[in-house]
Every structure is written in structure tokens, then in C-alpha cells.
Amino acid sequence: MKNKLKIFTNGLFKENPVLILLLGCCSVLAISVTVSGAIGMGLAMTFVLVCSNAVISLLRKVIPDKVRIPCFIVVIAAFVTLVQMVVEAYLPDLYESLGIFLALIVVNCIILGRAEMFASKNSLGDSVLDGLGMGIGYTLVIVAMAVVRELIGSGTLLGYRIIPEGYQIGILVQTPGGFLMFGIFMAVLIYVLGKHGKKFEPKIGCDGKCGACSENCRIRDVNETPAALKEQEVQS
Amino acid sequence: MIINVSPHIRSKNTTRRIMLDVIIALTPALLAGIYHYGWRALIVTAVSVAACVLFEFLYELILKKPVTIFDLSAVVTGLLVAFNVPSTMPIWQVIIGDLAAIILAKMLFGGIGKNFMNPALVGRIVMMFSFTTAMTTFAAPVRTFTGLFGIGADAVSSATPLQDTAQLSVNNLWGLLLGDYAGTIGETSTVLIVLGGVYLMIRKVIKPTIPVCYIASTLLFSFLFGGTEPLLSLAAGGLALGAFFMATDYATSPITNWGRVIYAVFLGLVNAVIRVFGNYAEGVTFAIILGNILVPFINEWTRPRPIGAAKAPKKVKKEAEK
């Protein structure tokens, strides 16, 4: 039970897809301008993540290894199309404000990344939990960023005016403001996760022991670039 | 006899002395700003300086870092931020600019000497994007001292000569050079800014390479692109202030001589392109910020070869890798 809970909570903070794994940043930067858009995007994302994780987990023994990426994409695209049609039919305003980014969920790295890193190797229940955790983690970040950006940048929250006209700092709802908030949120989360003055070192889905791992992720190779080798030489 | 480790001879230059020289060099332009745009120019500048120093102090206090406000660099940043805004700018907006300059551009990257962009220009860009109307509504000169305490004189806003080319005429050149036109607090009086720049060169705080190459290449490229009269575009707008006081910032300009030339010519090119083809009347800010980002690469490209080193170290490295 504890393990299951951990799979779920991983996505919330410790392996937050946006702020720690740095996946799917594009839609976060673009959509976190309004809170309503951010909530819609977060929900659409969570739905697609849970569904695609579930289906890919069920199909994991059927899908041949060599063509797994195209297979994942087809599954994801099916659910995205579904979401897109529903949103267009029932929430035309939201559909308008999300624009191209709704369709772009297909190629969002978070969903493909979870399919590749988790769903294709784990059972149905675990994959659904993982998708739910990652989806909520994404939603939390995009909504939190949207609250700050909309409140300070346009002076409103969910469209209601909070700060009087003329006292907003417009740069926050423009592109540079998105990058600024993204950096600040990342720094704050890393600071909060660090314990006893130690810096938080994110583990990207593994414990860094490449010898006992079947993954071909080449994390270890990062330490073996010419620059890193030279540095080790200098130190020794 | 006790022998210490080197260095044995230390330069008397300290950050504080250099910054003090910069402040001295900026003073004539500040006085001109107060003369042209009234006492509010002084208030804006004072608030900006105080805010910059306060933000740096608070940041260091909260994060328990050594307090560096006495090196006066925050004062210079505050002055430069104020120089970049019109005197009619609401005070709180200037303070937001100071916040961006000191916290975002300077302290978050480790404080003085570690910023990769000019803090004052980051402040200006944030204000430019956030408060576009206030930043481009320029006050017409009120000539404070001639009216003897023209405190009550209301500033009349009008377009800057860079936007309104009708004001740009050779007859008006002397007025433009002295800064007698609608503009920001500190960048209008080209003559006094150049005077300050020359003072810095005499005191060996800055070298002439960057300002001279920057201004010359801006004039050359605007001429080639068929822009406004080159001399007038020097006289009006922030080119002189940018060239002498912002492009020459130690931390954000190249360290090699050839690097400085490349950097300055690049600034001139970008500046001319923005002025002639772009939507903005002023290209100095974006040119310098863009140049700042390229500085590490320029340093790497122009790294001098040590005497006796192999001619093409890159080739040797490649063979060794094979």
C-alpha cells in the first residue's frame, strides 16, 4: 500500500514532471497566462495521461519493442482527439483559449515520457496511479503559475478584477514573464525539497547505478564527457 | 625576513573607487536632467538609487550573505535605471524596474561581477514591456533653473525626436546635443554624457575601444541602411549613454581587445537594424542585452594563444581523441 501511495505522490513533488523532470514546459509557459485556461489544460492533460498510461500498460506485452514509440503516439493521439472533440463541443471558449496547445498534447514529452519510462514496464494499476500523480503534478504547477501570472500580470483572477486597472505588471503575462516564473518556481521547489541545508538532487527515474540497470539512458555517460574527464584528471 | 605569497604590489583600484568615478561621470548628465525636466527628475533618481541599495541590502540580509552595498555598484545601477525613464514615470513603476535590475539580473546570479546581463537594462526592459505607455510618454523640457524653482511647472508630454522625425533637423542639432528635447531623464544631453565618458577614460576606468567602435559602427550601419541623418541619431536618444556607461560594464563585456571590437561592432549593427527596420524607436537596450548574451562566446573565440603553445590546439585534441 505504501508503495502504491509513493507511485502516486512521486509525480506531485519529488518527480514533478514540469519542475523536476523538465518535461512539457512549452504548454506550461504558453497556457499559464489565465487560471481558467490552466485548469482546463491541466484536466485535459491528466485525462490523457491516465488513459494512455492504462492502455499502454495493458498493451505492453503486445507492442513490439522496435515500433513502440509509434504505437505510443497512436494511443496518445486517439485520446487527445477525443478530448479535443469534447472540449470543442461543450467548452468552445476554453477550446479557443487553448488553441494549438490542446492538439499538441499528442507530442507532449510528459505523456510519451511516462509511457516509455513507466507504463510500458508496470502493471495497469500502477500505471494509472502514476498517470494520475503526474497529471495532478502538472496541473498544480500550471495553475499555481497561472494564479501568480494572472494576478500580477493582468490584475485579475479567473476573470474577476482583484488589482485595480493600471497597477498590473504586464511583463508577467508576456513570454519573458513565463520564463521568469518558471525559473522562480523551479528554484523554490528545489529549495523546499532540500533537507537540512542539503541541496535536493533529483533522481531521474533511477538511482544512478547504471551497472545494475537495463535502461540505455546513458546518465552515466554524462560523467564521461571529455570535459568531465579532464576535470577529474586535474583533481587527481 | 618574511616573504609573503604574491601578489606583492596591489593596485589601488577598488570596486568602490571605480563606482565612485562612474557616479562622478554621471553627475553632469543628472544635473542636465533636473534642469530640463524639473525637480521630479531628481525625486525619481533619488528613489531609484535608494530602492536599488535597499533591495541589495535586503536580499543579502535575508540570505545571510556579506553586505556589499558599500561598493556603490547598486547606486550606479539605480542612477542608470532612473536615467532610462521619463521624469513623469510613476514612482512605483520605477521601483519595479529597480527590483528587476537588482534582484533578477544581479543578485540571483551571485551579485556584482556575476551578472550576465546589464542590470539597469534588464530593469529598463521589464519596465518597457510592463508599462509601455508610461515609458514612451516623454516630458517636454521645463528648464528648472531658469524659471527659478519651476516646481509647479507641469510637464508637457510629447514625442521623442526619434519617433517624431520633424523635430530631427540640422538646425536643431545644438539643442539635441544639449538634450533640450522631450526624452528620458539622463540620456538626452549627449554632450554631457560624452564628457562623463571622457572623464572615465582619463581615469582609466573604461577603455575607448567599446564606445568608439559602437558609436562609429552604429553611424556607419545606419548610413548604409539609409536611416536618419547619422549625426542626429547620435545626438538624440540613448546611444551615448549606452555606449559609454552600459556597453562597457566589466562583467558583461568581453575581456580581450579583439573581442571588444567584435562585440561593439555587433552592437552597432543590431542597433542600426532595430532603428532603421524595427518597430522600436530605440535599439540601444536590445542591442546591448543581445551582445551581453554573446560575450562568453566572444571571449572564447578571441582567446589569445599563449606564447609557445601549439598552433592549432583543436586539431591535436581531435587526433588524441581518435
Side-chain angles (χ1 to χ4, degrees):
Chain A
M1 192 59 214
K2 213 179 172 187
N3 254 347
K4 303 273 177 211
L5 195 71
K6 213 186 154 203
I7 291 172
F8 174 69
T9 53
N10 245 356
L12 298 185
F13 300 108
K14 268 191 172 170
E15 278 186 37
N16 187 292
V18 182
L19 296 181
I20 303 289
L21 302 182
L22 298 186
L23 298 174
C25 316
C26 177
S27 56
V28 172
L29 292 174
I31 299 296
S32 60
V33 177
T34 57
V35 178
S36 55
I39 293 173
M41 186 72 189
L43 291 181
M45 191 77 178
T46 311
F47 173 77
V48 175
L49 246 172
V50 171
C51 296
S52 72
N53 259 13
V55 171
I56 286 164
S57 166
L58 287 174
L59 293 176
R60 70 182 186 279
K61 282 169 189 158
V62 186
I63 296 173
D65 205 34
K66 277 185 183 162
V67 291
R68 62 184 196 282
I69 303 283
C71 293
F72 295 163
I73 295 279
V74 170
V75 172
I76 297 164
F79 286 111
V80 172
T81 315
L82 203 70
V83 169
Q84 215 180 341
M85 285 169 169
V86 170
V87 173
E88 193 179 3
Y90 293 101
L91 300 161
D93 287 348
L94 183 66
Y95 185 76
E96 203 67 26
S97 76
L98 293 183
I100 186 74
F101 289 97
L102 196 56
L104 279 179
I105 296 180
V106 176
V107 284
N108 194 301
C109 320
I110 299 175
I111 297 175
L112 194 61
R114 287 337 280 176
E116 168 83 10
M117 286 203 296
F118 201 91
S120 60
K121 289 178 216 133
N122 290 285
S123 67
L124 172 67
D126 287 1
S127 298
V128 169
L129 276 180
D130 180 74
L132 201 61
M134 289 286 163
I136 294 175
Y138 175 91
T139 312
L140 280 180
V141 173
I142 193 170
V143 171
M145 264 173 81
V147 167
V148 178
R149 287 180 73 185
E150 193 184 333
L151 183 65
I152 303 177
S154 340
T156 57
L157 261 187
L158 283 166
Y160 296 104
R161 182 151 291 286
I162 307 275
I163 297 173
E165 191 81 47
Y167 284 92
Q168 52 270 50
I169 301 164
I171 196 168
L172 277 178
V173 284
Q174 296 168 28
T175 317
F179 282 100
L180 280 178
M181 287 324 294
F182 190 47
I184 290 170
F185 267 73
M186 230 189 292
V188 168
L189 184 64
I190 298 267
Y191 178 79
V192 170
L193 287 177
K195 278 176 196 159
H196 310 299
K198 255 192 188 169
K199 202 182 157 209
F200 173 72
E201 301 268 352
K203 290 173 190 162
I204 309 166
C206 76
D207 55 3
K209 288 172 192 158
C210 294
C213 177
S214 59
E215 281 297 322
N216 196 19
C217 68
R218 297 182 163 265
I219 277 185
R220 191 181 48 178
D221 290 4
V222 175
N223 301 325
E224 287 173 7
T225 55
L229 283 179
K230 204 174 173 188
E231 207 181 308
Q232 285 166 15
E233 245 175 58
V234 173
Q235 281 172 0
S236 61
Chain B
M1 200 167 109
I2 303 159
I3 299 174
N4 289 323
V5 285
S6 63
H8 301 288
I9 303 168
R10 285 165 195 278
S11 160
K12 281 176 192 156
N13 278 355
T14 57
T15 310
R16 191 202 291 217
R17 204 222 71 173
I18 288 171
M19 290 301 162
L20 198 62
D21 270 340
V22 177
I23 294 169
I24 292 170
L26 285 170
T27 309
L30 174 63
L31 292 178
I34 299 168
Y35 167 70
H36 286 126
Y37 307 114
W39 295 105
R40 196 160 194 287
L42 181 64
I43 297 169
V44 168
T45 313
V47 169
S48 174
V49 168
C52 277
V53 173
L54 188 70
F55 284 135
E56 185 162 324
F57 178 67
L58 286 180
Y59 181 91
E60 284 162 343
L61 198 70
I62 291 168
L63 292 186
K64 302 189 180 77
K65 290 185 186 292
V67 173
T68 57
I69 53 169
F70 297 107
D71 67 16
L72 299 179
S73 62
V75 175
V76 171
T77 306
L79 276 174
L80 288 176
V81 170
F83 275 26
N84 274 306
V85 303
S87 60
T88 46
M89 189 92 174
I91 297 290
W92 72 272
Q93 295 182 346
V94 180
I95 294 175
I96 296 289
D98 294 327
L99 181 78
I102 291 294
I103 303 294
L104 279 183
K106 188 179 170 194
M107 301 317 290
L108 283 183
F109 288 90
I112 183 167
K114 288 169 186 155
N115 49 307
F116 74 110
M117 278 184 187
N118 188 309
L121 288 180
V122 172
R124 182 196 158 105
I125 283 192
V126 167
M127 289 187 285
M128 195 77 197
F129 282 157
S130 302
F131 321 117
T132 315
T133 331
M135 281 294 280
T136 48
T137 312
F138 300 107
V142 293
R143 302 189 189 84
T144 312
F145 302 118
T146 45
L148 205 66
F149 304 115
I151 310 170
D154 274 341
V156 185
S157 63
S158 67
T160 171
L162 279 175
Q163 293 165 331
D164 181 10
T165 37
Q167 290 185 49
L168 271 184
S169 71
V170 183
N171 309 331
N172 206 7
L173 185 60
W174 191 237
L176 287 176
L177 279 173
L178 282 175
D180 198 8
Y181 61 90
T184 68
I185 293 174
E187 57 184 33
T188 52
S189 44
T190 308
V191 172
L192 295 178
I193 289 165
V194 174
L195 191 75
V198 170
Y199 169 78
L200 287 186
M201 286 178 203
I202 294 170
R203 296 282 289 169
K204 294 197 170 126
V205 172
I206 60 171
K207 283 186 179 170
T209 324
I210 292 175
V212 169
C213 291
Y214 181 17
I215 292 174
S217 61
T218 307
L219 300 189
L220 178 72
F221 285 122
S222 352
F223 176 69
L224 287 180
F225 296 152
T228 46
E229 186 81 21
L231 201 59
L232 291 175
S233 66
L234 169 64
L239 179 56
L241 184 70
F244 284 101
F245 291 95
M246 294 180 185
T248 53
D249 179 13
Y250 290 155
T252 56
S253 62
I255 47 176
T256 60
N257 273 330
W258 276 113
R260 287 188 183 128
V261 174
I262 295 170
Y263 167 77
V265 171
F266 175 78
L267 297 189
L269 177 67
V270 176
N271 201 348
V273 166
I274 293 177
R275 251 188 200 178
V276 177
F277 303 111
N279 287 332
Y280 287 94
E282 183 77 272
V284 177
T285 313
F286 296 110
I288 297 178
I289 288 285
L290 210 55
N292 286 166
I293 297 171
L294 290 181
V295 163
F297 303 103
I298 296 175
N299 278 338
E300 192 60 30
W301 290 333
T302 56
R303 191 162 62 176
R305 187 156 51 91
I307 299 168
K311 261 189 180 174
K314 272 183 186 170
K315 240 182 183 175
V316 174
K317 208 177 168 187
K318 261 186 188 168
E319 276 166 16
E321 272 172 16
K322 278 178 191 168

